[in-house]
Amino acid sequence: MAVLPASPLDTRTVSTTERVHLSREDKRRAREERRRAAGGRRIGSHVLLIVMAIYFIVPIWWLFVASTKSTGSLFSSPAFWFDDPSAFFTNIAGLFEHQGGIYWRWLANSFLYAFSAGIGATIVAVLAGYGFAKYRFRGRGVMFGMILGSVMVPLTALVIPTFMLLSQYGLINTPWAVILPSLLNPFGVYLMRVYTQDAVPDELLEASRIDGAGEWRTFATIVVPLLRPAIITVLLLSIVGTWNNFFLPLAVLTNPDLLPVTVGLNRWLALSNAGAGGEQVWNLITTGAFISVLPLLLSFLFLQRYWQGGLTVGSVR
């Protein structure tokens, strides 16, 4: 039987099939190479995240372990492991008894200062940031430049001028001496302006005004929900900043009943270092410090879900 030669059509069909097959093989190899490269990057990023997590967790772990020890075991037992966990409750009882339980007064003062100043600073930052982002007025650029410049000024450099200003109005040694200066958060204003520019489209505001909504109604019903992630961020930063503030309360408060927990624990630390009157309360200092960080940790854990609301940035409804 004679073998017929392949037709040009058959040759083109085979050649096309081979090219498609080779193309698929090349794509498969490329996908595998990208997968291996991405896997290497993921491993590197995971290692970096683990190292950073250890870096931040180790101090908290040490503080937790130290709060479960007596003064003697703090200096004799391993630094990062427990000695007698039941000593934690003994230390709690000591906080209730030492100096009439003044530690809990200090903790309540910290709550008052942090949340009053944090909420007030957030309100000011939201209003100012929204105004700078969506309104045109004379001197806007100069004023915002001054706010940006104030971010560069260390807070400790403003304590003495703040003290002199408050003393003229008789506010020294009052809660207002801590709350009023903490209401100003230049970084919060900057953050709110940048976020508002992207999260709140001008078309959305114009549509609301055309529908007859006033400026305050537009702000409350449309702008605030879109700014929720930024508002929560500024609120947490303001609360943490006021809670951890040390130098300002140290300068403007002398009444022990008005001190926040940071300054109060520092007084106990000074007494323990000096050994005055047998005041060796290292176990109470570590336990009090551990309790003082718990509200901040819980705040971050419960409020972090609000940061996921940033997916609506730039949307027009």
Side-chain angles (χ1 to χ4, degrees):
M1 180 182 294
V3 179
L4 297 176
S7 64
L9 180 60
D10 296 336
T11 303
R12 288 196 299 271
T13 303
V14 172
S15 177
T16 302
T17 303
E18 290 178 351
R19 285 199 300 270
V20 171
H21 181 70
L22 291 175
S23 177
R24 289 177 178 174
E25 288 294 326
D26 293 339
K27 291 180 179 179
R28 184 179 63 82
R29 294 194 190 98
R31 285 197 299 269
E32 291 179 354
E33 291 177 358
R34 287 196 298 268
R35 191 178 299 112
R36 286 195 294 267
R41 289 194 295 268
R42 283 198 295 269
I43 293 175
S45 62
H46 288 170
V47 171
L48 178 62
L49 289 175
I50 291 173
V51 172
M52 296 300 294
I54 293 174
Y55 176 79
F56 288 106
I57 289 175
V58 164
I60 300 177
W61 172 255
W62 177 87
L63 195 59
F64 172 60
V65 170
S67 65
T68 64
K69 298 180 180 181
S70 62
T71 299
S73 59
L74 275 173
F75 301 97
S76 59
S77 62
F80 293 99
W81 198 246
F82 303 96
D83 180 63
D84 182 13
S86 62
F88 177 76
F89 301 99
T90 304
N91 294 336
I92 294 293
L95 288 175
F96 277 102
E97 298 173 358
H98 190 68
Q99 294 184 354
I102 196 173
Y103 170 82
W104 304 105
R105 179 64 181 268
W106 294 340
L107 195 63
N109 292 338
S110 292
F111 271 101
L112 173 64
Y113 301 151
F115 283 91
S116 299
I119 294 173
T122 303
I123 294 174
V124 173
V126 171
L127 295 176
Y130 175 71
F132 279 118
K134 296 303 177 181
Y135 290 96
R136 304 291 184 268
F137 53 89
R138 183 177 299 177
R140 185 182 68 159
V142 175
M143 294 176 61
F144 190 71
M146 295 175 61
I147 292 176
L148 286 181
S150 64
V151 175
M152 302 293 111
V153 179
L155 295 179
T156 53
L158 300 176
V159 170
I160 302 303
T162 301
F163 176 85
M164 298 177 64
L165 179 63
L166 293 174
S167 63
Q168 293 180 358
Y169 292 95
L171 297 176
I172 295 299
N173 210 28
T174 66
W176 295 109
V178 178
I179 295 175
L180 290 179
S182 302
L183 294 177
L184 302 178
N185 187 354
F187 179 75
V189 176
Y190 167 76
L191 180 63
M192 290 306 307
R193 180 191 179 181
V194 173
Y195 193 90
T196 303
Q197 287 176 336
D198 293 330
V200 183
D202 294 335
E203 296 83 357
L204 196 62
L205 300 178
E206 291 297 329
S208 176
R209 290 163 183 157
I210 291 174
D211 290 340
E215 295 297 325
W216 283 108
R217 184 178 180 183
T218 300
F219 177 78
T221 59
I222 296 177
V223 175
V224 171
L226 292 176
L227 298 180
R228 185 177 62 178
I231 292 174
I232 297 299
T233 302
V234 173
L235 177 63
L236 283 176
L237 292 177
S238 301
I239 290 175
V240 172
T242 307
W243 186 282
N244 294 331
N245 198 349
F246 173 78
F247 197 39
L248 177 64
L250 180 66
V252 299
L253 299 177
T254 57
N255 187 350
D257 292 333
L258 296 177
L259 298 180
V261 68
T262 51
V263 180
L265 289 177
N266 181 71
R267 288 198 170 191
W268 284 1
L269 181 65
L271 292 174
S272 297
N273 283 326
E279 289 283 351
Q280 296 292 328
V281 290
W282 300 104
N283 58 327
L284 301 185
I285 294 172
T286 54
T287 305
F290 174 69
I291 293 175
S292 69
V293 302
L294 289 180
L296 301 181
L297 293 177
L298 294 176
S299 298
F300 275 98
L301 291 176
F302 284 113
L303 296 177
Q304 64 179 348
R305 64 188 180 92
Y306 289 102
W307 287 318
Q308 300 174 1
L311 297 177
T312 59
V313 174
S315 63
V316 179
R317 297 195 240 179

